[in-house]
C-alpha cells in the first residue's frame, strides 16, 4: 500500500507486533491491562472530581494535581486502547497518519507531565520555604500561566519531533516491534537519512530532562535546607508529608524515562523497551492517583464523605 505524498513515504500502514511473540499470554495480558486502564480512568477522574467538590482543595497544589491526573488519563488513553485491541484482534495495523497522530499526542502529554511535575516541585518549594507568602506568590494568574506554559511547550516539542518523523521516507519493512508508535520503533523503519530527526530528538530530550530535573533538584535542595532549620517536629513532619507523594511520583516517572534512555535500541532489548514502555504508559497513570490519595488526609476524607453520602441517598 502506498501513500501519495511525493517521494517522501511509500508505506501507508504499519503493523504493530505488540506481544504477539507470546500468544499464550494474549488473553491474560488483555485482562490485566483492561483492569489497570479501568482503575487509571476511575482513579484520575476521581482525583479531578474530589479537587473540584471540596473547597479545602481549591489550592495551587491540587490545581496542579488535577492537571496531572488529566495528563495521566490522556497519555494512557493514547496507547492503551490500541494495546488492548491488538491483544484480541488479528488486525494489528495502524495507518501512517494514525501512527503519527498517536506519537504526536503521546509525546505532547509526556513532555507536559514532565514539566507539570517540575511546576509542582516549585509549588512545594514556595509552600515550605515561604509559607506566609504562599497565597500571594502562587496566585491564580501565575498558576494558570504555569499550566498553560507546560501544555504549550509540550505541544511545540512534539510537533517538532512529529514533523521530523513525517518528513522521512518509509519504503522498507512496515513492522513495528512495539505495541505503539514509539520514536525509536518508527525511526528504525526509515529508509532515508534520519540525522535531522535524531538531532532534534536528542536536543529536545536532553534539554527537557535536564531542565525539569534541575528545577526539581533546586526546589528540593531549598526544601531540605528549610526543613533542617525547623525547630519543631510538628512542622518537620508536615513539611515531609506534603512532599513525600510528589517525590515518589517524580522518582517513578523520571526513573523509567532514564531507563528508556539507557536501553540500546537493538533486537535483544526490544522486550525490555516494551516492558518499560508498558510501565510508563499503563502503570504510572494508575499509580499516581493512588500515591497522592493514600497519603493525603483531605483527599481520603472527601472520598469517604462522597461514598457515605451516595450510600445514604440510595438507602433512603
Amino acid at each position: 500500500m502506498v501513500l501519495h505524498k511525493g517521494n517522501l513515504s511509500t508505506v501507508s500502514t504499519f503493523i504493530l507486533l505488540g506481544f504477539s511473540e507470546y500468544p499464550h499470554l494474549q488473553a491474560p495480558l488483555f485482562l490485566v491491562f483492561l483492569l489497570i486502564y479501568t482503575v487509571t480512568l476511575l482513579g484520575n477522574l476521581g482525583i479531578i472530581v474530589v479537587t473540584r467538590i471540596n473547597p479545602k482543595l481549591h489550592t495551587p497544589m491540587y490545581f496542579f494535581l488535577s492537571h496531572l491526573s488529566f495528563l495521566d488519563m490522556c497519555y494512557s488513553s493514547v496507547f492503551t486502547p490500541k494495546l488492548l485491541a491488538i491483544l484480541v484482534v488479528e488486525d494489528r495495523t495502524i495507518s501512517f497518519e494514525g501512527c503519527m497522530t498517536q506519537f504526536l499526542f503521546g509525546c505532547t502529554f509526556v513532555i507536559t507531565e514532565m514539566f507539570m511535575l517540575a511546576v509542582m516541585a516549585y509549588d512545594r518549594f514556595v509552600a515550605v520555604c515561604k509559607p506566609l507568602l504562599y497565597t500571594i506568590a502562587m496566585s491564580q494568574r501565575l498558576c494558570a500561566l504555569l499550566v498553560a506554559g507546560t501544555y504549550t511547550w509540550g505541544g511545540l516539542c512534539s510537533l517538532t519531533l512529529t514533523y521530523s518523523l513525517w518528513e522521512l521516507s518509509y519504503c522498507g519493512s512496515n513492522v513495528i516491534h512495539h505495541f505503539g508508535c514509539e520514536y525509536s520503533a518508527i525511526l528504525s523503519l526509515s529508509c532515508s537519512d534520519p540525522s535531522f530527526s535524531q538531532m532534534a530528538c536528542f536536543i529536545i530530550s536532553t534539554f527537557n530532562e535536564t531542565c525539569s530535573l534541575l528545577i526539581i533538584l533546586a526546589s528540593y535542595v531549598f526544601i531540605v535546607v528549610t526543613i533542617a532549620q525547623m525547630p519543631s517536629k510538628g512542622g518537620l513532619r508536615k513539611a515531609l508529608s506534603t512532599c513525600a507523594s510528589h517525590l515518589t511520583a517524580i522518582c517513578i516517572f523520571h526513573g523509567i524515562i532514564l531507563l528508556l534512555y539507557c536501553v540500546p535500541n537493538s533486537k535483544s532489548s526490544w522486550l525490555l523497551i516494551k516492558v518499560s514502555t508498558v510501565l510508563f504508559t499503563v502503570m504510572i497513570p494508575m499509580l499516581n492517583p493512588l500515591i497522592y490519595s493514600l497519603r493525603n488526609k483531605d483527599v481520603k476524607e472527601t472520598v469517604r464523605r462522597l461514598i457515605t453520602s451516595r450510600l445514604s441517598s440510595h438507602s433512603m
Side-chain angles (χ1 to χ4, degrees):
M1 298 180 71
V2 178
L3 274 175
H4 300 288
K5 48 179 290 190
N7 295 322
L8 293 177
S9 299
T10 55
V11 173
S12 63
T13 58
F14 293 118
I15 299 172
L16 299 170
L17 284 188
F19 295 95
S20 58
E21 61 266 51
Y22 306 101
H24 58 289
L25 292 178
Q26 301 293 293
L29 285 174
F30 174 81
L31 293 174
V32 169
F33 292 148
L34 179 61
L35 177 62
I36 292 173
Y37 184 53
T38 304
V39 173
T40 297
L41 294 180
L42 292 176
N44 285 291
L45 189 60
I47 290 288
I48 294 171
V49 170
V50 164
T51 56
R52 291 290 183 271
I53 64 176
N54 188 348
K56 287 176 67 177
L57 303 182
H58 293 175
T59 63
M61 183 178 79
Y62 292 103
F63 175 70
F64 297 134
L65 179 57
S66 64
H67 279 279
L68 184 71
S69 293
F70 173 74
L71 289 168
D72 281 336
M73 283 197 302
C74 287
Y75 85 71
S76 179
S77 297
V78 168
F79 291 100
T80 310
K82 189 63 180 178
L83 169 59
L84 293 173
I86 64 175
L87 285 171
V88 294
V89 298
E90 291 186 7
D91 183 14
R92 301 171 183 271
T93 60
I94 184 171
S95 67
F96 179 85
E97 292 84 358
C99 190
M100 292 297 135
T101 302
Q102 187 188 63
F103 174 78
L104 171 67
F105 282 104
C107 187
T108 298
F109 295 132
V110 169
I111 295 173
T112 303
E113 176 151 343
M114 184 182 294
F115 281 96
M116 191 66 68
L117 288 169
V119 167
M120 292 174 75
Y122 173 73
D123 171 72
R124 293 300 82 210
F125 155 71
V126 178
V128 174
C129 301
K130 301 179 180 180
L132 299 178
L133 298 174
Y134 181 63
T135 54
I136 299 172
M138 299 301 294
S139 63
Q140 285 187 342
R141 185 172 182 274
L142 177 61
C143 292
L145 286 173
L146 288 171
V147 168
T150 61
Y151 281 99
T152 302
W153 181 248
L156 287 173
C157 290
S158 62
L159 279 171
T160 303
L161 292 175
T162 305
Y163 173 78
S164 74
L165 288 175
W166 188 283
E167 288 300 298
L168 296 175
S169 298
Y170 302 91
C171 50
S173 172
N174 67 336
V175 177
I176 294 179
H177 294 269
H178 212 296
F179 59 83
C181 294
E182 186 262 341
Y183 178 81
S184 60
I186 300 172
L187 195 70
S188 65
L189 303 182
S190 171
C191 56
S192 58
D193 182 12
S195 56
F196 169 73
S197 181
Q198 288 174 324
M199 182 60 69
C201 181
F202 176 77
I203 292 172
I204 289 173
S205 300
T206 305
F207 177 82
N208 288 340
E209 186 69 11
T210 303
C211 285
S212 60
L213 284 177
L214 281 176
I215 294 169
I216 292 167
L217 183 62
S219 298
Y220 275 99
V221 165
F222 283 110
I223 288 172
V224 169
V225 171
T226 302
I227 289 175
Q229 295 173 346
M230 286 182 176
S232 66
K233 290 185 178 180
L236 175 63
R237 195 179 299 113
K238 184 178 180 181
L240 288 172
S241 65
T242 194
C243 299
S245 300
H246 184 241
L247 270 175
T248 305
I250 287 170
C251 290
I252 295 173
F253 183 89
H254 284 280
I256 296 178
I257 283 183
L258 293 174
L259 174 63
L260 285 169
Y261 277 166
C262 296
V263 175
N265 185 27
S266 60
K267 288 184 179 181
S268 60
S269 58
W270 279 343
L271 178 59
L272 180 57
I273 291 173
K274 281 190 277 190
V275 172
S276 300
T277 311
V278 164
L279 292 174
F280 194 79
T281 59
V282 180
M283 292 299 294
I284 287 181
M286 181 194 71
L287 291 176
N288 278 347
L290 296 176
I291 291 168
Y292 282 99
S293 60
L294 291 177
R295 296 188 61 88
N296 192 292
K297 291 181 180 178
D298 291 326
V299 172
K300 288 191 287 187
E301 181 187 338
T302 306
V303 172
R304 195 179 298 113
R305 283 195 284 109
L306 187 63
I307 293 172
T308 304
S309 63
R310 293 288 181 185
L311 290 175
S312 61
S313 64
H314 283 300
S315 62
M316 292 177 66

